[in-house]
């Protein structure tokens, strides 16, 4: 069994590993989705999941390097937040917001501009300055929609729980919430691709302004 100091090191290590794996999986599939969206904006007719996954595999090194950077930042902020007081939690929360804003366009930038993680952050930040209205609007709008739909899922779960069985209500509510989160997340990723494409090309033919 570990002593208290050793136990914390183990927990920190597990947290760090979890964040890296989590970011890798998310970015891998988001890259595939963004590529499929790009193919659509380019007028491609034969768009398949396989094409998206193949593209992600071709960028596996870039994706892994970003997962290490993003996972490290996420783990460090999480650890500091848990170990600090109220002021520390507020500060790390603000840093997290700034980080999310600065890295809003990192995935398409890394996918198509072949930049290192830190160069991609710089490029993402410059795009954010140019398209801050769309970016903030996307976060706010998608967040509101997701919140309302999650409330609806909870209501459906509550009704099913009251009419049929509480466990059935919980299962249905959780499943609906998961589906809603997945759909909103995918939609936001496509929207990010659209904004990025709008900067580097034209959307007139395949995407309504």
């Amino acid at each position: 069994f570990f002593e208290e100091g050793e136990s914390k090191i183990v927990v920190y290590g597990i947290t760090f590993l979890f964040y890296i794996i989590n970011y890798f999986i998310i970015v891998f599939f988001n890259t595939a989705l963004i590529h499929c969206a790009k193919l659509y904006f380019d007028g491609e007719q034969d768009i398949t999941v396989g094409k998206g996954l193949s593209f992600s595999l071709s960028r596996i090194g870039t994706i892994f390097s970003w997962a290490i950077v993003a996972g490290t930042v996420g783990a460090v902020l999480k650890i500091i937040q848990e170990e600090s007081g109220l002021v520390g939690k507020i500060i790390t929360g603000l840093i997290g917001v700034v980080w999310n804003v600065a890295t809003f366009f990192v995935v398409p930038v890394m996918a198509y501009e072949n930049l290192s993680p830190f160069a991609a952050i710089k490029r993402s930040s410059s795009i954010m300055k140019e398209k801050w209205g769309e970016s903030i609007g996307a976060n706010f709008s998608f967040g509101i929609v997701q919140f309302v739909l999650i409330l609806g899922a909870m209501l459906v779960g509550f009704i099913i729980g009251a009419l049929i069985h509480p466990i059935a209500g919980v299962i249905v509510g959780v499943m609906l919430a998961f589906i809603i989160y997945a759909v909103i997340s995918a939609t936001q990723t496509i929207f990010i691709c659209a904004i990025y494409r709008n900067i580097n090309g034209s959307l007139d033919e395949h995407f309504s302004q």
Side-chain angles (χ1 to χ4, degrees):
F1 294 97
F2 300 105
E3 295 181 1
E4 185 176 351
E6 294 174 332
S7 179
K8 280 193 173 184
I9 292 175
V10 172
V11 171
Y12 293 161
I14 293 173
T15 301
F16 176 71
L17 186 62
F18 169 79
Y19 270 80
I20 289 179
I21 294 173
N22 187 51
Y23 273 104
F24 178 82
I25 292 172
I26 290 172
V27 175
F28 181 87
F29 287 103
N30 277 353
T31 300
L33 177 58
I34 281 177
H35 185 64
C36 287
K38 177 184 178 296
L39 292 177
Y40 175 79
F41 296 144
D42 288 341
E44 180 82 31
Q45 297 297 319
D46 184 26
I47 303 171
T48 64
V49 173
K51 287 185 177 180
L53 295 177
S54 294
F55 181 80
S56 288
L57 286 172
S58 72
R59 297 291 190 273
I60 197 76
T62 302
I63 292 171
F64 183 68
S65 64
W66 174 245
I68 292 177
V69 172
T72 300
V73 172
V76 169
L77 289 178
K78 180 68 174 177
I79 291 169
I80 293 174
Q81 197 170 42
E82 290 184 349
E83 296 294 330
S84 59
L86 178 60
V87 175
K89 290 184 185 343
I90 293 174
I91 292 174
T92 52
L94 291 174
I95 293 173
V97 170
V98 173
W99 172 258
N100 288 333
V101 169
T103 59
F104 195 76
F105 293 100
V106 158
V107 176
V109 165
M110 291 188 67
Y112 295 110
E113 298 185 23
N114 199 27
L115 298 176
S116 67
F118 296 105
I121 293 172
K122 185 176 180 181
R123 170 69 172 141
S124 173
S125 299
S126 69
I127 296 175
M128 176 59 77
K129 291 177 184 177
E130 183 177 345
K131 293 291 184 179
W132 63 270
E134 290 91 332
S135 306
I136 294 174
N139 271 326
F140 181 77
S141 301
F142 285 117
I144 290 293
V145 172
Q146 180 172 299
F147 177 73
V148 171
L149 291 177
I150 291 293
L151 286 180
M154 293 173 61
L155 178 61
V156 171
F158 176 79
I159 293 173
I160 290 177
L163 296 177
I164 301 175
H165 194 280
I167 295 179
V170 171
I171 292 173
V172 171
V174 169
M175 288 180 63
L176 286 175
F178 177 79
I179 292 171
I180 290 167
Y181 177 79
V183 171
I184 293 295
S185 177
T187 306
Q188 186 171 7
T189 299
I190 294 170
F191 188 78
I192 291 171
C193 180
I195 300 174
Y196 177 78
R197 167 75 183 205
N198 189 229
I199 292 172
N200 296 279
S202 174
L203 287 173
D204 294 342
E205 185 178 352
H206 300 288
F207 198 90
S208 166
Q209 292 296 330

